[in-house]
Amino acid sequence: LADASTFILLLFALALTAFCVFRAQANDNHQAAIVCLNLGLALTISLAVWQFGRRVPEVHLGYFIPIALAAMLWGSVPALVTALGVWAANVVIVANQPGAAPTFYRVEEIVGLLTLGASYVSLAIVVGRFAENLADAVSRSKQNALAAEQAEQQARAYAGELAITLQSEQAHRQEL
């Protein structure tokens, strides 16, 4: 029952995160989308560490944070490099535990490390792509705002020129 409830909590956290992010993007509130993404990732990662960290104790899931930060700040490729570096560091830590031989004897350790490596790469790609798309949306929004401002300035300049032309025409008519 505890496993099912945790799984439901994980799904709920992911669904709530997705809903908040897409709702914020639909309203063109990109800062709120970033905040929702950060909070949702923190909640989901915390729940995953709490539930699944007990099953494979040799794997440290706290390395998700630098990967998520690299993905959000710099994009997919730096996050992928970070993920591979973190995974390699994890392999070295697990292989060189004090009081243990520097080889892998248990299948659980190998499966745990491979699963963790896949989750690192997945996190880097998914969050990195989302952050890149969000950055592109912010850039497009700024460009649209700049274009609208320039169009407004041009319209005001044209309205000024039109007013001057109308005044000169009225003055010319009054002279006649």
Side-chain angles (χ1 to χ4, degrees):
L1 183 64
D3 291 341
S5 64
T6 304
F7 184 70
I8 290 171
L9 280 174
L10 282 172
L11 287 179
F12 178 74
L14 288 174
L16 184 64
T17 301
F19 174 76
C20 289
V21 168
F22 289 124
R23 178 79 183 224
Q25 274 190 323
N27 294 332
D28 288 333
N29 192 349
H30 303 296
Q31 290 177 341
I34 292 172
V35 169
C36 287
L37 178 66
N38 287 336
L39 291 176
L41 281 175
L43 176 65
T44 305
I45 290 170
S46 298
L47 285 171
V49 167
W50 176 72
Q51 176 61 29
F52 301 113
R54 294 180 285 159
R55 293 194 179 151
V56 187
E58 292 85 9
V59 178
H60 185 16
L61 295 175
Y63 289 119
F64 277 123
I65 295 169
I67 297 169
L69 287 176
M72 286 185 278
L73 295 176
W74 300 299
S76 295
V77 175
L80 191 57
V81 171
T82 303
L84 293 175
V86 164
W87 183 74
N90 225 345
V91 169
V92 168
I93 289 170
V94 170
N96 296 320
Q97 289 180 354
T103 57
F104 299 105
Y105 288 113
R106 296 188 320 197
V107 174
E108 293 88 11
E109 288 180 347
I110 296 170
V111 170
L113 287 172
L114 291 177
T115 303
L116 190 66
S119 63
Y120 285 165
V121 170
S122 300
L123 177 72
I125 291 171
V126 169
V127 175
R129 292 294 296 163
F130 183 78
E132 289 168 355
N133 291 341
L134 193 59
D136 290 343
V138 169
S139 175
R140 282 192 308 272
S141 173
K142 286 180 181 178
Q143 288 174 353
N144 290 342
L146 181 62
E149 184 179 323
Q150 288 174 349
E152 183 180 343
Q153 288 175 354
Q154 289 175 350
R156 285 184 182 175
Y158 179 71
E161 290 174 12
L162 186 60
I164 292 172
T165 304
L166 288 175
Q167 287 176 355
S168 65
E169 283 181 12
Q170 286 177 353
H172 181 56
R173 285 184 192 163
Q174 288 177 357
E175 289 177 2
L176 295 175

